[in-house]
Amino acid sequence: MSLSPSPRLPRGPRRRSLLASAAGAALLAGCTGGPGSGEAGAGPSAVERARARAARDSEELAVRYAAVIAAHPGLAERLRPLREEVVRHAEAFGGVRAASPTASGTAAGTAASPSASVRAAGPANDSDGSDAVPADEKGALALLAGAERKLAGRRTEALLDVPGESARLLASVAAAGAAHVFLLTEG
C-alpha cells in the first residue's frame, strides 16, 4: 500500500497576498481624499481653516520660543534650532516668515534684552495670565514643553478633519512637536 502525501490545499488566502492587498489598499487610501474628492466636511474651506489655524499656532509658538530666549539668553543655543523648525512649520502651513515677535523687540535669530518684560502669546495660554516666562530656566523649558505638548495633541485631533496631504503635514508637525517635548524635558 502506497502512502502518497495528500495535497494540502491552503485554507483562505496566503499571507503574501494579504500583505500585498493591505499595501495596495493603503496606497489607494493615501491617494484619495483630496479637496475635490467629495468627502463630507473636508472641502477646501475646512482644509484652509485647519491650515490657517496650524500656521497661526506655529507662529505663536515661535513667539513663545523667542520670549524664552530673550528672558534666558543662556538657553539660546539650545532653543534656536527648535524655534527655527517651528517657524518652518508655520511656513509649511502657509504662514509668513515674520513669525518673530516685534512687541518684545526680537528679530528672527536674535534675542532681545533679557531685562524686558516678556509675555508670550501662544497655544498654551492659560486664561489666568500664567503665560509669563518663568524666571528660572527649568520653568521656562517646562513652559515650552507644555505648549508643544498641547499643540501636538490638538494637531493630532485635527487629523480627523482634514484629508490627504494636509493630514500628513499635520501628522508630521505633530510628531515634530512631540520630539520637541522630549528635547525640552530630557536635555
Side-chain angles (χ1 to χ4, degrees):
M1 182 155 89
S2 144
L3 295 175
S4 63
S6 70
R8 267 178 88 188
L9 295 176
R11 294 185 185 180
R14 291 184 172 214
R15 195 176 333 175
R16 286 184 191 157
S17 58
L18 281 175
L19 291 173
S21 303
L27 284 174
L28 285 175
C31 294
T32 61
S37 68
E39 290 182 15
S45 62
V47 170
E48 288 171 7
R49 283 192 310 269
R51 289 179 70 94
R53 179 172 184 176
R56 186 175 56 250
D57 287 346
S58 288
E59 289 167 351
E60 291 172 351
L61 185 58
V63 169
R64 186 172 293 249
Y65 268 97
V68 171
I69 291 169
H72 301 286
L75 294 174
E77 186 176 330
R78 179 177 178 186
L79 297 180
R80 194 167 285 122
L82 300 177
R83 182 186 178 280
E84 289 170 0
E85 190 169 310
V86 169
V87 170
R88 284 191 299 272
H89 295 162
E91 291 170 348
F93 287 117
V96 293
R97 178 71 181 165
S100 60
T102 55
S104 67
T106 306
T110 62
S113 153
S115 62
S117 171
V118 181
R119 293 182 65 82
N125 270 356
D126 294 327
S127 59
D128 63 0
S130 64
D131 60 342
V133 175
D136 64 307
E137 289 184 354
K138 188 174 181 176
L141 292 173
L143 176 84
L144 288 174
E148 287 273 17
R149 188 177 294 113
K150 283 183 180 182
L151 186 52
R154 189 163 61 220
R155 286 178 171 160
T156 301
E157 290 173 11
L159 288 173
L160 301 174
D161 300 330
V162 293
E165 198 59 37
S166 293
R168 285 186 282 280
L169 180 59
L170 271 174
S172 176
V173 174
H180 288 183
V181 171
F182 176 79
L183 292 171
L184 290 165
T185 57
E186 298 298 320

